[in-house]
Amino acid sequence: MARARTGRAEQPDAEGAPRGRTRWWLVAAVAVLPAMVLLPFLVAFVGVIFSDSEYPLGGGPKAVSCTHALAFGGAALPDGATPVGGCVERSWQDVSYSADFRMPRAAVRDWLHRTYPDAPAPETEFCADDADLCLELSYTRGLPEGVGADAVQVSVTYEDAGTALVDFAAFTT
């Protein structure tokens, strides 16, 4: 048997290892396993804290073509319409598209009816943001089959006798 520094012989345990000695690999495994599980969360947390982005987890606004934004909601840019600003996609867990455009005021109701033939008539009351006309659709209420959006909101503001500003939003829920 091996002699300890004190001069006394150490007695082996049931597995043959000398008593009083810790198995270093067992301690290392117990310490390292929780650290390995928590490490990805720690790295993500530090990344979010030190990010200078307004959207550190992604999903910030991204410019897209208005054709693409409207198609997501089953629509197309009407004849005589001109985009205002740009069309935008936002996505992270859900996806949303927005498009603002001007079109002839007299053609708004016809465009809405051709685009969404199964939709209820547009409302003139209870519209958000003081809009003059609004339409809210969902996959159970007027959206055509096969569109990417789960819901579409259209708000129309009459700017003058001949022009309407349309605010179009299509998104998943």
Side-chain angles (χ1 to χ4, degrees):
M1 295 212 177
R3 292 208 159 247
R5 292 181 199 187
T6 61
R8 289 185 299 164
E10 293 181 3
Q11 299 297 318
D13 65 4
E15 295 178 9
R19 278 190 203 162
R21 292 195 182 189
T22 305
R23 296 186 182 209
W24 67 268
W25 58 269
L26 188 59
V27 172
V30 168
V32 169
L33 286 177
M36 295 300 287
V37 170
L38 295 176
L39 185 63
F41 296 108
L42 180 63
V43 169
F45 179 72
V46 169
V48 167
I49 295 298
F50 291 107
S51 173
D52 60 352
S53 171
E54 188 175 338
Y55 303 93
L57 298 177
K62 179 174 79 172
V64 295
S65 73
C66 290
T67 302
H68 182 72
L70 289 163
F72 184 74
L77 199 62
D79 293 333
T82 55
V84 176
C87 296
V88 176
E89 172 191 354
R90 287 180 177 81
S91 61
W92 185 56
Q93 291 180 336
D94 295 322
V95 178
S96 70
Y97 289 89
S98 62
D100 294 331
F101 55 90
R102 284 190 174 86
M103 66 179 292
R105 178 178 173 164
V108 170
R109 286 183 182 269
D110 183 51
W111 172 73
L112 286 172
H113 180 69
R114 279 186 289 111
T115 303
Y116 303 112
D118 297 330
E123 296 185 39
T124 56
E125 295 182 51
F126 311 115
C127 294
D129 299 327
D130 298 326
D132 296 303
L133 190 66
C134 55
L135 181 63
E136 292 196 16
L137 306 168
S138 66
Y139 60 92
T140 61
R141 187 174 184 239
L143 272 180
E145 291 289 325
V147 299
D150 293 331
V152 169
Q153 296 174 336
V154 181
S155 296
V156 180
T157 304
Y158 298 135
E159 295 184 314
D160 56 35
T163 307
L165 177 65
V166 178
D167 179 17
F168 178 90
F171 48 91
T172 59
T173 55

